[in-house]
Structures are given as structure tokens and as C-alpha cells.
């Protein structure tokens, strides 16, 4: 008898930094439910995404591919029918797959686009509108216009804030209580929070002790050695005059959003326990990427810079009870591409495509203490790849009234600002190879804020050369994938025509009849051997 497969919960907040979790050292963070589950699972302190924006990262962790493998490095190029997606594989393996409508993964322009990937696509309606007037942005030219800082959120009708996230969480909880009893289930619950704008309702808004916030990474004085897009964003955001008190308010609001996510996670876990399936569920919690949240005097994110606040993400795994686990915080370097391989390992699925993740099972059990000696992240575009700009089909985002104007203006530039780039990070150093401007090298032990680019320091010449070779090896190892299924070089008709002159009539008729009954010439050749 086959072993009963575990249920799977994939809880996926958007734009959450690893240091937004209390158990990873942020004294101001309020994340009791995520902290609690680490008592039965593993939280990876050094987990890194493979692209610092939504769609490329999601395509990566849902396929086990790096973004460059098939060009998934923009916000608008998603996974197509011929490409592997974990949800589809689980569905094909007999899982009942539930997902909400937070997408950035599957092309939605085709009719019934999600049918191959899930049994149930939950689309929320009857949402309340929060105080959605944009007067919180201030006047154009003010130092709040591009800040994304909305602050305390209140529903327009005075009731609770019932937004997409809350609707999706309630939908997932309802599904848990009414799931099919005769098959394992996979719940894919991607959320919008804590993606900007920075806003949250009570009680989460007031939960964060502003006095306990960790020190912010301030903007460098002259930006020397840093990528040009960061200096440009810093100037366009226009927040140079903000006091630390104002920055702390924005950062506290962000952590309040994370507290709300934690509370919603706790309610989903409670539903699993009420149904008696918590122990039989493999739980994965991770974000697609992080957020500047005031570091370097910048907000939101970029597509081609790789500061830890953008690339270091929460990654928690609580396996089902029959999988050995050494619970707690683990310092191993891991990547989100490891998620796919870990699910396959825990569920017991043989891989059907080449992917580049490695199962974390031996790390979870404590049998291994190190997983990778380096992690990679990539982003950006070539100058001529105009179709890779987010503004290619939405010129409105380039209008100064757009909230995203600063980032869109920099990404749309024909200068080096949207250069294609690749990060290779070890525990001690971070190297960024850039196509159109100076590379970056940081000694993370001496400079954890990545403020001093030492790429031109002769003392580090060999280290820089070693990193370049490492990136070359990585690209060589991951530059393409060969499908597991082989294609036929000749049709049966072509092969019959080739065979006919070399066999007698009776043999030819037997071969032709066998092919008519579904045998291929290759089958017959194997039988003959």
C-alpha cells in the first residue's frame, strides 16, 4: 500500500523581509504565530530569493528554475503550458489544489487558464473599501508623494477592514473545514501584505513599539560604488529631509502589516488543528522578496539590486509529523528554488523535469549542517529589451502622478540604471556582476549594510576573480534544461517506407498491423532485441 501523502500549506506573504520576524532578532516585530511554529519546524535565517520582484521570483520557486533558464525575469512573462509548475504537478499526482487569486505566476489571458493548475480558484467579492482617497500622498513635489506611507487604515464604512487578503484567508479556512476527505490537499495562499502602500488597521498599527525598532541603514553620503539606480531613486523619492521619527513611523507601519499577516497565519493553523490534520500537513512559509522600508532612504524595491533587505526572506518549513526534524533556527544558506525539491522529497514524487533546487530534508533533520556555500539572485534587462520594462504596455506608470513613477522612470532609462546583473553571496561576501556599470563587492562581516564597495581594492582582487568564476560556473550549470521526454526523429510512415525494401511482404504487413494497433517501430525493435 502506498504511503498516505501529507497535506500541503504554502503560506506566501508578499515583500516580507527576513528581519521582520521576532524570532530572527527584531525586537519590535510582533509575530508570535510564526515564532511558535519554529518549535516544530525550521526557520532559515539565511534564505534568499532568486529575483527581487514578484513574478520572476514566483516563477522561480514554483519551477525550481533560475529566472534566466527561460527568460522569467520580468513582471509580465509568466509560466506557460510547456513549463513546469509545482501546483500542476501536485494536481496531476492526485492532490486537490486550492489557490487564491493573487497570481503573478500563470498567464491569465487565456480562457480557463488556471484549470490545469488548481481544482479551485478562490476569487473574493463583497470587499469593503478602505480610505482609498489619495490625499494621504500629499501634493506632487512634497516629500510624501512617493513615500507609499499611508499609515493607519480605516474602513470607509466604519466596520472592519475586509480586503483581498482577509477574504482569501477566510476562504482558505472555509476550505480546510470543507475540504474533500478522499484526497490530499494543497493550499496555496499567497497574500498581498506587507506589500506597500504601508498601511494597516488597528490593533496591528499600534502593536509595534517604535522604541524597539532596529537601526535603519542610512543613505550613503555620495553613493560611490553603488548602482546608479539607487542614487536615482533616492533623488526621485524626495524623502531626504525625513527625520528618523518619520522613518520609524513608516517602518512600524510595515511591521504592523507583518503582525497582521502573522495573525492570519495563526488562524489558518488553528483551522488545521481543529480539523485534526495539522500533524499530517507540510507547512511552508516564505516571501517572494523583501522591501527597502527606509533602508538607504528608499522605499519599495528594485528589479536589479540585491541588498539583503530585498533578497533575504523568511523561509520556515514545518514538515509532517512522520518526517524527522531538528527544530529551531538554522543558519544554512538556502534558496527559494530549494522549495520545489523539498516538496517533491517530502511528498514522494519523482522529478519529471530538471530543476536546480536541492531538498532541505537532511537539513531539517539535522543530519547535515550546511546546504549551500553560495546563493544567487539576478535581475534587470539588456538595453535593447524594451519589452522587458514594466512600462512597455502601461505608459501610465511613467506619468509623474503614478505612485511607481520613480522606479518606472529609472527602469525605463536607456542608461545603466536597469543593467542586467547577477548576485553571488556567501556568508562572508557579496559580489554583484553588472553588465553596464561597475561590479560590486562587499565584505559582509565588516560592512553588513553593504555601503562600501571594495571591488577596486587590490586586497580583494583574487576574491573578486573567484566570484566571477563562480558565477560563470553557475551559469554553465544552469543555462538550460533538456526535457525528460524524447522526441521521435521519424514518423511511423517515414520508418515504414525505410523498412519496406529490406523485409518480405508478410513481415512488412505484420509490422504495419502492429503499428496500426498502437506499437511504434521503436517498440518493435526493442521486442526484436
Amino acid at each position: 500500500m502506498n504511503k498516505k501523502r501529507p497535506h500541503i500549506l504554502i503560506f506566501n506573504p508578499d515583500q516580507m523581509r527576513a528581519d521582520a520576524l521576532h524570532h530572527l532578532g527584531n525586537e519590535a516585530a510582533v509575530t508570535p504565530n510564526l515564532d511558535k511554529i519554529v518549535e516544530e519546524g525550521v526557520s532559515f535565517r539565511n534564505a534568499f530569493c532568486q529575483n527581487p520582484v514578484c513574478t520572476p521570483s514566483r516563477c522561480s520557486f514554483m519551477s525550481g528554475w533560475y529566472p534566466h533558464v527561460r527568460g522569467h525575469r520580468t513582471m509580465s512573462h509568466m509560466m506557460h503550458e510547456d513549463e513546469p509548475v509545482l501546483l500542476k504537478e501536485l494536481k496531476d499526482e492526485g492532490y486537490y489544489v486550492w489557490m487564491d487569486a493573487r497570481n503573478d505566476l500563470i498567464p491569465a489571458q487565456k480562457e480557463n487558464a488556471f484549470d490545469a493548475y488548481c481544482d479551485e480558484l478562490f476569487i473574493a467579492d463583497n470587499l469593503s473599501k478602505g480610505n482609498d482617497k489619495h490625499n494621504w500622498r500629499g501634493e506632487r513635489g512634497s516629500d510624501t508623494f512617493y513615500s507609499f506611507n499611508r499609515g493607519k487604515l480605516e474602513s470607509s464604512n466604519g466596520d472592519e477592514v475586509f480586503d483581498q487578503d482577509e477574504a482569501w484567508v477566510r476562504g482558505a479556512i472555509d476550505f480546510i473545514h470543507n475540504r474533500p476527505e478522499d484526497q490530499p490537499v494543497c493550499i496555496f495562499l499567497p497574500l498581498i501584505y506587507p506589500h506597500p502602500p504601508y498601511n494597516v488597521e488597528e490593533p496591528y498599527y499600534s502593536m509595534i513599539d517604535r522604541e524597539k525598532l532596529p537601526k535603519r541603514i542610512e543613505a550613503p553620503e555620495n553613493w560611490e560604488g553603488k548602482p546608479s539606480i539607487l542614487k536615482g531613486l533616492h533623488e526621485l523619492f524626495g524623502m531626504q529631509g525625513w527625520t528618523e521619527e518619520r522613518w520609524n513611523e513608516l517602518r512600524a507601519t510595515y511591521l504592523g502589516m507583518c503582525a497582521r499577516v502573522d495573525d492570519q497565519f495563526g488562524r489558518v493553523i488553528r483551522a488545521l488543528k481543529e480539523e485534526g490534520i495539522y500533524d499530517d500537513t507540510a507547512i511552508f512559509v516564505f516571501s517572494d522578496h523583501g522591501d527597502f522600508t527606509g533602508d538607504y532612504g528608499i522605499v519599495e524595491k528594485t528589479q536589479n539590486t540585491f541588498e539583503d533587505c530585498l533578497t533575504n526572506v523568511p523561509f520556515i518549513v514545518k514538515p509532517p509529523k512522520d518526517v524527522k526534524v531538528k527544530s529551531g533556527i538554522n543558519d544554512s544558506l538556502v534558496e527559494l528554488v530549494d522549495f520545489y525539491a523539498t516538496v517533491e522529497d517530502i511528498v514522494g514524487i519523482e522529478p519529471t523535469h530538471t530543476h536546480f533546487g536541492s531538498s532541505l530534508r537532511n537539513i531539517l533533520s539535522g543530519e547535515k549542517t550546511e546546504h549551500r556555500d553560495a546563493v544567487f539572485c539576478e535581475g534587470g534587462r539588456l538595453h535593447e529589451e524594451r519589452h522587458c520594462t514594466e512600462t512597455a504596455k502601461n505608459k501610465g506608470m511613467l506619468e509623474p502622478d503614478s505612485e511607481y513613477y520613480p522606479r518606472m522612470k529609472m527602469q525605463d532609462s536607456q542608461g545603466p540604471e536597469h543593467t542586467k546583473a547577477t548576485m553571488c553571496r556567501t556568508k562572508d561576501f557579496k559580489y554583484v556582476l553588472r553588465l553596464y556599470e561597475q561590479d560590486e563587492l562587499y565584505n559582509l562581516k565588516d560592512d553588513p549594510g553593504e555601503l562600501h564597495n571594495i571591488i577596486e581594492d587590490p586586497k580583494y582582487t583574487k576574491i573578486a576573480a573567484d566570484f566571477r568564476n563562480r558565477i560563470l560556473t553557475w551559469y554553465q550549470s544552469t543555462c538550460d534544461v533538456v526535457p525528460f521526454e524524447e522526441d521521435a526523429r521519424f514518423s511511423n510512415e517515414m520508418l515504414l517506407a525505410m523498412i519496406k525494401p529490406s523485409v518480405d511482404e508478410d513481415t512488412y504487413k505484420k509490422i504495419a498491423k502492429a503499428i496500426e494497433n498502437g506499437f511504434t517501430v521503436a517498440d518493435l525493435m526493442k521486442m526484436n532485441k
Side-chain angles (χ1 to χ4, degrees), residues 20-23 28-39 204 207-208 255 258-266 269 316:
L21 300 179
H22 187 86
H23 70 265
V30 180
T31 53
N33 296 294
L34 292 167
D35 301 338
K36 177 72 175 175
I37 203 167
V38 179
E39 296 175 7
Y204 312 105
M207 279 183 178
I208 310 304
L255 289 181
C258 296
R260 183 189 201 241
V261 168
D262 177 85
D263 183 60
Q264 291 169 329
F265 174 73
I269 294 303
I316 300 172

Side-chain angles (χ1 to χ4, degrees), residues 464-474:
D466 289 344
F467 269 105
R468 280 192 288 271
N469 286 333
R470 185 188 282 264
I471 289 175
L472 175 62
T473 301
W474 174 71

Side-chain angles (χ1 to χ4, degrees), residues 9 36 57 73 106-107 125-126 210 236 265 269 272 302 384 402 411 504 514:
L9 169 65
K36 177 72 175 175
S57 179
R73 48 187 171 82
I106 299 160
D125 55 13
N126 299 321
R210 275 67 172 164
L236 287 170
F265 174 73
I269 294 303
L272 294 174
T302 69
E384 59 269 25
S402 167
Q411 289 178 186
D504 60 53

Side-chain angles (χ1 to χ4, degrees), residues 140-187:
R140 191 202 292 181
S142 70
D143 64 2
T144 60
F145 195 65
Y146 297 121
S147 71
F148 289 93
N149 190 32
R150 193 176 185 176
K152 185 162 72 171
L153 185 64
E154 296 177 359
S155 176
S156 57
N157 59 13
D159 297 327
E160 66 173 340
V161 174
F162 184 61
D163 58 6
Q164 292 279 7
D165 277 6
E166 181 60 21
W168 292 332
V169 168
R170 294 186 192 185
I173 291 171
D174 183 66
F175 171 72
I176 290 169
H177 290 308
N178 297 282
R179 70 194 183 284
E181 298 284 349
D182 58 346
Q183 62 188 123
V185 301
C186 171
I187 301 167

